[in-house]
Amino acid sequence: MIRPPDELSSGGSDTGFSPDTPAGLEDICNFSLDEFEVDYTTCSEPETDLHGSCSGFFAPGGTLSQLAKINGRPCEERPQQLAMALAIADALKNNENLCVEAPTGIGKSFAYLVPLIYRSLISRRPALISTETINLQQQLIEKDLPFLREATKIPFRAALAKGRQNYVCRRRLALLSGDQRDALLPVPSLVMDTEKLIRKLENGLDGERGSAGDSIDPAVWQLVCSESGNCAGAKCEFYRNCYYFKARRMWDEADIVVANHALFLTDLAIRSGGGGGALLPDYGAVLIDEAHTLENNAAEYLGVRLSQPGVVSMLNKLFNPERMRGLLMHPGSKMPELRQLAAHARDEAYGFFAPYTDLIRRNQESALRLKNIPDEFPDRLSPALIELGKNLDEAIEDLDDNAFRTELEGARERCRSTIDSLTVFSRRQMPDAVYYVEENNQATSLHVSPLNIPELLQSVLFNNTVPVMLCSATLTVRNSFDYFVSRTGFTGGKMLRLDSPFSPDQAKVIVPRELRDPNDEDYFSSLVKNIRKYVELTSGKAFVLFTSYQAMRYCAEMLQDEFEEKGWRLLVQGGELSRNRMLEEFRNDIDSILFGTDSFWTGVDVPGESLSMVILTRLPFASPGHPLIAARLDRITESGKSSFAHYSLPEAILKFRQGAGRLIRSRTDSGYIVILDPRIISKGYGRGFLESIPYNMVF
C-alpha cells in the first residue's frame, strides 16, 4: 500500500497546527512544519518491531522530542501517550481487541495513528479509523496525518471516506441539465442553483458536498447526488470521471482511511449480511474513536428507520401531481399509467403515516413505543409500492434512453427497499428490538432499534477477524469498564485506563448551597437566579448546558436583555445559527455565552479564555419516557437487575463527565464548573458524579 514519494497525495492542504487542537502540534512540541522538510530519498526500510517503532517515536529523546530540539522548542513528556501507543501496538501485533479510556490532553490521535501507520507498512492492508464528529475527521485528515507523514518519513496515503450521497453524479447532473430539467426540478426557481453547481464543477470543484458550500439548495443536491440504486457502475458513460468512484479508488489505495460511525456501521451491516458487498476497503484493523457513542450508533444503523417525508420525497421525484413534475413526465406511452400509480402510492403514504401521527399527538408525546400495531392501522402502502414497482419493471424494459432507464431502475430499487423496511416494521421481523413512532418538527418516523447490541457487536465486530480498538475520554464509571462492556459487548482483548494529564487545580467545582430540586415549581426561576450570579465570575465566557429545550428557552428569554446590557452576546441553540456556526461565533466573541442542550454536552472543543465556565443545569439522566430508553430499562429489570443502578445512573455519569469535560482542554486552561442540581449533594448517588471529575470542589 505504501507508495513512492512521487505518488504521494497531499492528504490535506493544511499542514499546520493550532493551539486549539488537543493533540495538535503546539500541544505536542511547539513545532512548525514550515521549518522542517523531509527528504524522502532517505527513507529506510520499515521496521517490523511495531512496539520498538512506537517507543522510538514517543519516548524521551525519540522522534517527537528530536523534532522539538531541532527548533529549540520544549516538548512535554506524555507517559500516557506512550502507554496508549504501546498498548495499540501490542493489540495490532497479537490480533487482539483493545479498549482505552484516554482523557483529553494526552494526544490520543497521535497515540493511535503512529502504530497504525507503522502497521500499514507491515500488513499491506489499510487501517480504518471511525469517528463521531466531523471536527475530529478534519483534524485527522488536515493536521495530524500530514504532520506524521513528515515526522515519520513514511510516504503513506490517507483518505477521508464519506457516504456516496456526498458526491455529485455526473449522469444525474447531465440529465438535470438536459431537456427534462424543467420537469425534474421541484420548482422553477432551482434552475439557478443547478447552473451555479455546474459552474462550480467547471471551475474545479471536486464534486463533494462539503466543497459545494451552503449555496446549493438541498432539493437540487438530492437530484444530482450519487445513489446506489441508480448507479450503473462501470457501464455508465461517466464512470471514468465519476466523483464517487474516484473517491473509492483513493480509499482502496490508502493506508489510513478515516470514516464516520454511520458509514462504518452501515458497511458492517452489509458485510455481516452475507451478500458479499462492502462500502469500505478490506481493512486490516479498526480504530473507533469517540467510542462512547457506539451503542446508540449501532442501535440506529443496525436497525430500521422509515419517515413520512422520506417516502413522500421518493415518490415526488417520480411524480408530483400538484406541480406536474418528476421523472415520469418523460415522454412515453406507459408514463400516464405510471404517474397515476405514483400519485396513488403517495396518497397511501400520507394515509399510512396519518394514524401514527394522530396516535402520538393524542398521547401528547414526541415518541411512543408500539408493542402491537392496532388493527385500524392497515398497511395499504406496501401493495401500492409493489404495484408501482411491477409497472416500473415493465416500463424499464421498453426504454432506449440509458440515462433515464438507470434513473427509473434507481426509483424501483428505492421502492423495494421501502417495502422491505415496511415489512420488518409491520411484521415484527427483527427479534429483540423496540418498535416505536416519533415526531420531530412535525415529521413522523417509524423506528426499529435492536436491544441486543452486545450480542450483535460480539458477532460482527469483536470476533477477532481483525483487531478492533476503541478509545474515548469517557468509557469508565467509577474507574471500571464494566458498564461500557455490558452495553457494547466488548470482548477479545484488554482494557486500559489512563490518568488525566491535567492538574486538579485547573478547575474549581461550585455547588451552590441554595438550589431548587428539578421537580420544584420554582426550579426554573432558581436556574435564572444562579446563572445570572455565576456568569458574573467570568464576565460571560460560559457554556450553560441544559437537558431540556423548555428550560433553556425559559432561561434565555429571562436573561437575554440583561446579558445584552452587559455587552455579553447570548447564543441559543435552535435559532438561525447551526451548531458549528454557534461555536465559531462563541470563539470569536470572547465575552459571549452559549446555551445548549444535548449535542453541546459532547464533541465540543473551545480551549483558552473563550470558555472559562461550564454550568450544568441538571444531572443528565436520560428520559425514561423515550421508547428506546424505556425498552432498555425494561430489559434490565426483566433480567432481575436494577435499571437505575445498571443503566440510568452510569449513563448519566458518563454524560456528566462529557459535559464537565468541555472546560479543560489543555494544560493552560482554567475555570469553573458550576452544578445547579442539588441532588449531587442531597442524594447518595451524587458522590458518583463528583468523584468522576478530578477537580477541587467549593461551596
Side-chain angles (χ1 to χ4, degrees), residues 478-533:
R478 293 189 171 179
N479 302 332
S480 171
F481 284 95
D482 289 350
Y483 174 72
F484 180 76
V485 170
S486 73
R487 303 310 306 173
T488 62
F490 174 82
T491 188
K494 300 174 182 177
M495 290 165 280
L496 173 66
R497 179 178 172 271
L498 300 169
D499 295 330
S500 172
F502 300 145
S503 166
D505 298 327
Q506 286 184 248
K508 290 183 171 58
V509 180
I510 300 175
V511 182
R513 292 187 179 277
E514 295 182 4
L515 290 172
R516 298 297 181 187
D517 189 276
N519 295 317
D520 289 354
E521 291 183 1
D522 54 354
Y523 168 67
F524 282 4
S525 59
S526 173
L527 280 185
V528 171
K529 175 184 175 182
N530 280 287
I531 292 170
R532 177 191 295 121
K533 173 182 177 181

Side-chain angles (χ1 to χ4, degrees), residues 35 169 265 296 363 406 463 471 558 610 647:
E35 304 171 16
C169 171
L265 288 166
N296 287 334
N363 285 272
T406 302
N463 53 19
C471 68
M558 298 302 294
S610 293
Y647 185 84

Side-chain angles (χ1 to χ4, degrees), residues 403-418:
F404 186 69
R405 173 199 289 267
T406 302
E407 204 66 24
L408 282 191
E409 287 174 343
R412 178 190 60 191
E413 292 307 311
R414 286 190 292 275
C415 283
R416 290 174 176 173
S417 176
T418 302

Side-chain angles (χ1 to χ4, degrees), residues 22-40:
L25 191 54
E26 293 290 342
D27 204 24
I28 296 288
C29 58
N30 297 317
F31 177 74
S32 171
L33 281 176
D34 294 335
E35 304 171 16
F36 181 75
E37 294 183 357
V38 173
D39 179 6
Y40 284 107

